[in-house]
Amino acid sequence: MKTAIATVCLSGGLDEKLLAIAAAGFKGVEIFENDLLSFNGTPKDVRHAAEDLGLTIVTFQPFRDFEGMPADKRERDFVRAERKFDLMAELGCDLLMVCSNVSPESAGGIDRAAEDFHALGERAAKRGMRVGFEALAWGRHINDYRDAWEVVRRAGHASVGLVLDSFHILSRKTDLKALTAVPRDRIFLVQLADAPVLEMDFLSWSRHFRNFPGQGDFPVLDFMIALQQTGYDGLLSLEIFNDQFRAGSARSVAIDGHRSLIWLLDQMGGSAPSLPPRALCLGTEFIEFAMDEATEPSFNALMRGLGFARSGVHKSKSVTRWSQGGINLVANTEKEGFAHSYYITHGTAVCALGLRVDDAAATLRRARGLLDQPFQQAVGPGELEIPAVRGVGGSLMYFIDPASKLARVWDIEFEPTGETAPDAGLTVVDHISQSMHYEEMLTWLLFYSSLLNLDKVPAQDVLDPGGLVKSQVVRSADGAVRIILNASQSSRTQSSRFLSEVFGSGVQHIALATDDIFATVAKLRENGVPLLRIPENYYDDLEARTGLSGDELDRLKSLDILYDRDGTSEYFQVYTHTFEDRFFFEVVQRRNYTGFGAANASIRLAAQTRLAQQID
Ligand code: MG
Ligand code: MG
């Protein structure tokens, strides 16, 4: 299928939009009338700009309030349409998109509308043009694609066809069965959009909250499967009205759009060349921190306090491996290379995540196919070239797999120190939380879920003393990898302050798992690791909420452990202080619990804010 995108999806002027659309690899573009009106040039200039970029203008839209108008208005509408045809002739575009009438002056009646479309089709045909009819979800008389199809069918004109828009259909939960019976050559254009499920009027929902397939909650795949049954192999065009997209970078939004279509077609088994499947995530192999030598001693002290052993040093670089259970934390104090440049920009920070996947080379191939950004840097003799792509905030995501020699990276690149340490019972990385700009959230949601076999769970709002934080989890079905994306529109929340202090998006906290939180906390205390103090009120409330016994509550309270329960499953959490105002660790124990202690998040955020104020 041929793919296209509407200019309305992107920010900037029409010329910038066309550049971004071409750069993202699209071959088709829908021109929105407003973009043309505000363009400083003639329609012919637009045509040439598009041609120079290898873009075909697939439709001109929208043409509003046409069908079912009273006689005097009807004639004027035909004159209006002829003007659009003039304009389209200059643009080099042959399809006018007409959306269903919302005017209170319009009358209903399928036959009446069909007559209007037949007449419009006659006029279009004389000019070698076509018209497509789309049912808006809020159309006055026609708001269902089945009625729009009946109008097109009865119009009985080869130049009149149907436009299907997944938003209008899925927002109304219209049955998809009738779609399968529409002859494919009667469908002139298919517009795709996803959206979050919201309780609001269709118009506001559509104009502000649409997003790319895979970013929202709509069953876009079901829509595509119904469409596939018609045999349709024409244009698939993204038409997304979204406030964040219109505030974001046109280039990166256009790439997100193309990525979403590639992934959607991939899910239908129709992608060519075919992509390797989404990478199966087996766990977090390592987390790499960029820092300078001045910071290293306090980082080392924290590592020792948490029960990590300095298990290896890199054979040729100033990189140290700290390990405990199945966790590897890597401190990089190199004076050149990627980690160093990351440090220069962000200060002490997580510069890379290493994920264990089923097939690292295939993951990189899939990343390329999805227009992700592969990363390579010169490797020294004897070093492995670990497949990597750019992730959140310019950080890297490396891929290691058990089958290739990448599995032996620690033996190949590191010299064991032979040092051991009394561990604190930490076993694996439980989850990683990344803070980002609000506008970036959908980008990274799509990045993770298109490349990796991670699925999103419904987003949550968390109350921070500085405002609301939106929290979106992606995770593998077995919990081997869990990533939390946090963003806030308030500049006063912890996640927003992180962005300004660390100069960009990145990892803000890392949760490590234990099988016995009480033993682990005892060990951390013994090692002198300060933990976040939790106010007494929390435990009073916990008593009321959970009915834990006095002894159990006392035990939690004495160790500053947060607790959550879901049926019979249980969750325990403690937090370290924040390292140099940057990131912190969490220790968690799960007993069949799959959440993240959302009920405790606001308590934790308030306690951290209080602590930061004391320290500042
Ligand atoms: Mg539409
Ligand atoms: Mg957490």
Side-chain angles (χ1 to χ4, degrees):
M1 276 187 253
K2 290 183 281 289
T3 56
I5 185 169
T7 52
V8 74
C9 304
L10 307 178
S11 64
L14 183 55
D15 37 1
E16 295 164 75
K17 294 182 188 216
L18 293 176
L19 278 171
I21 289 166
F26 285 100
K27 298 282 176 243
V29 59
E30 286 185 38
I31 301 282
F32 253 68
E33 186 165 32
N34 262 340
D35 282 316
L36 186 65
L37 298 180
S38 56
F39 178 67
N40 188 20
T42 65
K44 267 207 182 86
D45 294 337
V46 175
R47 175 187 192 156
H48 291 138
E51 276 169 4
D52 289 347
L53 292 164
L55 291 171
T56 303
I57 297 173
V58 299
T59 189
F60 179 68
Q61 72 139 318
F63 191 64
R64 299 186 193 281
D65 295 336
F66 165 70
E67 82 283 4
M69 291 304 252
D72 56 324
K73 299 267 164 60
R74 188 175 189 258
E75 275 319 302
R76 236 189 307 162
D77 282 335
F78 283 125
V79 175
R80 195 159 62 91
E82 292 286 355
R83 286 211 198 103
K84 304 295 172 196
F85 292 147
D86 293 341
L87 221 153
M88 287 162 57
E90 283 194 64
L91 276 176
C93 153
D94 81 333
L95 179 64
L96 178 66
M97 216 211 79
V98 183
C99 44
S100 59
N101 206 325
V102 299
S103 165
E105 291 181 83
S106 66
I110 294 282
D111 285 319
R112 172 74 197 282
E115 273 169 40
D116 291 344
F117 269 97
H118 183 90
L120 188 62
E122 282 288 288
R123 288 168 183 263
K126 282 198 188 114
R127 320 272 304 247
M129 289 178 183
R130 301 173 300 148
V131 294
F133 185 36
E134 172 193 72
L136 294 175
W138 56 92
R140 191 159 185 96
H141 302 286
I142 293 176
N143 52 40
D144 183 319
Y145 78 91
R146 293 169 294 195
D147 293 337
W149 163 232
E150 190 56 23
V151 169
V152 168
R153 202 182 66 78
R154 292 192 188 199
H157 198 289
S159 298
V160 178
L162 184 65
V163 174
L164 295 167
D165 179 320
S166 64
F167 179 88
H168 298 303
I169 296 171
L170 299 174
S171 60
R172 296 192 74 103
K173 301 194 174 79
T174 313
D175 192 86
L176 294 169
K177 200 159 176 302
L179 200 164
T180 63
V182 179
R184 69 173 181 177
D185 61 335
R186 308 307 299 141
I187 305 171
F188 282 3
L189 178 67
V190 172
Q191 294 181 317
L192 286 176
D194 200 340
V197 168
L198 298 169
E199 290 294 331
M200 62 165 63
D201 66 283
F202 293 118
L203 178 61
S204 313
W205 192 6
S206 172
R207 292 278 167 84
H208 302 282
F209 296 97
R210 286 182 179 221
N211 51 31
F212 292 132
Q215 292 180 327
D217 304 321
F218 281 7
V220 180
L221 197 57
D222 292 348
F223 170 82
M224 288 300 295
I225 289 165
L227 181 68
Q228 199 171 32
Q229 290 179 44
T230 67
Y232 179 79
D233 62 354
L235 272 163
L236 280 185
S237 184
L238 294 165
E239 186 197 29
I240 317 293
F241 306 86
N242 181 298
D243 298 344
Q244 288 157 249
F245 294 180
R246 277 181 290 210
S249 136
R251 292 228 171 204
S252 79
V253 170
I255 289 173
D256 283 352
H258 202 177
R259 178 177 298 127
S260 77
L261 284 179
I262 295 168
W263 183 32
L264 185 67
L265 293 174
D266 174 50
Q267 289 173 84
M268 298 177 59
S271 71
S274 73
L275 293 173
R278 290 199 299 169
L280 213 58
C281 293
L282 309 175
T284 303
E285 181 67 29
F286 65 86
I287 298 173
E288 181 173 346
F289 297 80
M291 64 187 72
D292 67 356
E293 281 163 0
T295 307
E296 203 175 16
S298 46
F299 183 79
N300 293 353
L302 176 60
M303 290 295 98
R304 293 213 158 86
L306 291 170
F308 281 84
R310 185 172 158 278
S311 58
V313 291
H314 197 276
K315 286 176 179 167
S316 60
K317 291 179 178 163
S318 98
V319 175
T320 307
R321 174 192 185 193
W322 293 88
S323 32
Q324 178 172 191
I327 309 165
N328 295 295
L329 304 181
V330 172
N332 188 324
T333 57
E334 280 281 288
K335 294 278 193 301
E336 53 186 38
F338 170 78
H340 182 65
S341 51
Y342 197 87
Y343 170 77
I344 295 292
T345 320
H346 303 274
T348 307
V350 170
C351 63
L353 300 175
L355 289 191
R356 201 153 59 240
V357 295
D358 52 342
D359 183 340
T363 306
L364 188 65
R365 281 206 306 283
R366 182 173 174 87
R368 284 186 206 282
L370 286 165
L371 314 177
D372 295 334
Q373 265 184 283
F375 172 85
Q376 268 184 312
Q377 71 178 345
V379 295
E383 282 175 24
L384 294 171
E385 202 173 304
I386 307 178
V389 293
R390 290 278 180 179
V392 172
S395 67
L396 294 183
M397 179 159 277
Y398 285 107
F399 304 110
I400 299 277
D401 62 27
S404 73
K405 69 178 175 192
L406 293 168
R408 295 191 297 116
V409 61
W410 305 115
D411 301 336
I412 295 172
E413 294 202 2
F414 286 78
E415 208 65 70
T417 62
E419 286 178 34
T420 55
D423 70 55
L426 300 178
T427 55
V428 290
V429 174
D430 183 272
H431 62 271
I432 295 166
S433 149
Q434 295 180 313
S435 293
M436 58 195 63
H437 296 284
Y438 195 80
E439 299 74 28
E440 291 180 280
M441 246 183 144
L442 291 171
T443 293
W444 296 110
L445 172 64
L446 183 64
F447 166 80
Y448 283 120
S449 41
S450 59
L451 179 61
L452 308 170
N453 194 357
L454 300 177
D455 293 312
K456 61 174 189 260
V457 300
Q460 299 226 11
D461 282 335
V462 173
L463 197 58
D464 179 288
L468 270 190
V469 176
K470 187 173 175 189
S471 192
Q472 169 73 66
V473 175
V474 289
R475 64 178 178 202
S476 59
D478 62 357
V481 169
R482 305 179 183 96
I483 297 170
I484 305 182
L485 318 180
N486 288 321
S488 170
Q489 285 176 304
S490 157
S491 61
R492 291 167 54 240
T493 58
Q494 190 195 70
S495 79
S496 296
R497 288 199 309 272
F498 172 85
L499 298 184
S500 48
E501 277 157 23
V502 184
F503 300 106
S505 310
V507 171
Q508 195 184 10
H509 98 247
I510 296 165
L512 306 171
T514 174
D515 295 330
D516 182 349
I517 194 133
F518 299 104
T520 296
V521 172
K523 195 77 196 167
L524 301 192
R525 287 199 157 184
E526 193 185 309
N527 294 348
V529 177
L531 296 176
L532 186 67
R533 289 303 312 272
I534 303 303
E536 296 230 352
N537 293 341
Y538 168 76
Y539 296 95
D540 296 339
D541 176 60
L542 199 57
E543 183 174 19
R545 269 197 299 132
T546 62
L548 286 177
S549 74
D551 283 354
E552 288 168 314
L553 281 164
D554 284 347
R555 200 173 176 209
L556 295 174
K557 195 195 311 193
S558 70
L559 298 174
D560 292 303
I561 296 174
L562 294 161
Y563 175 84
D564 193 27
R565 165 184 282 180
D566 184 5
T568 57
S569 69
E570 294 180 297
Y571 191 54
F572 303 85
Q573 326 166 251
V574 291
Y575 290 89
T576 68
H577 286 190
T578 302
F579 184 79
E580 294 202 332
D581 284 336
R582 288 167 181 277
F583 51 81
F584 53 92
F585 291 93
E586 176 185 1
V587 174
V588 305
Q589 182 183 355
R590 295 177 183 273
R591 289 185 184 148
N592 299 318
Y593 180 96
T594 55
F596 298 86
N600 296 328
S602 61
I603 307 293
R604 182 261 294 178
L605 285 161
Q608 286 175 315
T609 303
R610 212 159 31 239
L611 179 65
Q613 284 162 353
Q614 283 162 17
I615 291 169
D616 294 348

